[in-house]
């Protein structure tokens, strides 16, 4: 799988699932720059704002931007308060104007995983290029960990016949 240099896996993480199985997930360790420009209108309750090529972005959008530049298509999947597919910085909790649509077959895949997993949790970034798919979860190194709902998402993904190789954990730090 061809991903930007910053998202190239450098190690693996063993994840224990509720089924008792263990799965090995790829991990990358990108380093991002903090935003030092003007304050953003909405910060999701003090979520870190990063600088990506002069644009204020959350980590999920930095990862998405990197993938888009590499020829992938995709979205930030935000399931707080409903399901939203985002490509731009949100302006408020409502997330109405930023919501975009995705191809029907990609949405059907997500719905199949969610139904199987019995959760609407998802890894942050869902990207695709041709027949390739990638789910990437942004975690701030030393601050975040996978949630129980995300573990169910992993189980649902695997139960739907999707390879663990399509799951990537981006444990990011900042300069």
């Amino acid at each position: 799988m061809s991903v930007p240099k910053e998202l190239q896996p450098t190690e693996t993480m063993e994840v224990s699932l509720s089924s008792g199985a263990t799965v090995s997930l790829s991990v990358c360790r990108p380093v991002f720059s903090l935003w030092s420009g003007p304050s953003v209108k909405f910060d999701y309750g003090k979520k870190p704002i990063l600088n990506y090529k002069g644009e204020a972005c959350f980590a999920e959008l930095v990862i998405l931007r990197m993938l888009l530049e590499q020829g992938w298509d995709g979205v930030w999947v935000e399931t707080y308060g409903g399901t939203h597919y985002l490509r731009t910085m949100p302006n408020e909790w409502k997330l109405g104007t930023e919501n975009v649509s995705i191809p029907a077959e990609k949405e059907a895949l997500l719905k199949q995983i969610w139904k199987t997993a019995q959760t609407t949790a998802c890894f942050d970034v869902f990207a695709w290029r041709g027949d390739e798919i990638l789910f990437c979860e942004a975690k701030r190194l030393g601050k975040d960990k996978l949630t129980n709902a995300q573990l169910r998402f992993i189980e649902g993904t695997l139960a739907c016949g999707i390879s663990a190789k399509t799951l990537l954990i981006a444990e990011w730090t900042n300069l």
Side-chain angles (χ1 to χ4, degrees):
M1 183 175 310
S2 176
V3 295
K5 179 182 72 163
E6 299 87 350
L7 301 179
Q8 288 287 327
T10 55
E11 58 191 82
T12 59
M13 171 191 299
E14 297 300 312
V15 177
S16 299
L17 305 174
S18 64
S19 63
T22 302
V23 64
S24 182
L25 300 183
S26 296
V27 177
C28 63
R29 299 272 169 94
V31 179
F32 301 140
S33 298
L34 288 175
W35 176 249
S36 59
S39 296
V40 297
K41 181 177 178 180
F42 175 70
D43 69 3
Y44 257 111
K46 304 208 183 283
K47 205 169 157 63
I49 309 295
L50 304 174
N51 182 350
Y52 188 67
K53 297 185 176 182
E55 181 184 359
C57 290
F58 296 127
E60 298 86 349
L61 290 170
V62 172
I63 292 165
L64 179 61
R65 298 273 187 286
M66 290 176 170
L67 290 165
L68 293 173
E69 289 175 2
Q70 191 93 25
W72 290 80
D73 197 358
V75 291
W76 169 18
V77 180
E78 177 54 65
T79 58
Y80 182 83
T83 302
H84 305 280
Y85 306 121
L86 308 172
R87 289 196 178 114
T88 59
M89 283 289 281
N91 292 313
E92 60 183 353
W93 286 106
K94 195 171 168 187
L95 300 177
T97 59
E98 298 87 356
N99 198 38
V100 298
S101 32
I102 63 174
E105 71 274 6
K106 302 306 182 206
E107 190 161 34
L109 175 62
L110 280 175
K111 287 181 178 181
Q112 177 187 9
I113 294 168
W114 290 334
K115 182 178 180 182
T116 302
Q118 298 179 7
T119 183
T120 56
C122 185
F123 274 21
D124 295 313
V125 176
F126 177 31
W128 55 89
R129 182 172 59 187
D131 291 337
E132 290 181 288
I133 61 169
L134 174 68
F135 292 99
C136 183
E137 176 62 26
K139 294 293 184 195
R140 195 168 185 191
L141 185 64
K143 304 253 185 205
D144 300 322
K145 64 179 188 166
L146 290 171
T147 66
N148 288 333
Q150 289 168 333
L151 293 173
R152 288 196 312 274
F153 175 79
I154 294 167
E155 287 181 298
T157 302
L158 299 173
C160 288
I162 298 167
S163 170
K165 292 178 183 180
T166 68
L167 303 171
L168 175 65
I169 307 293
E171 289 187 325
W172 64 273
T173 55
N174 57 270
L175 297 173

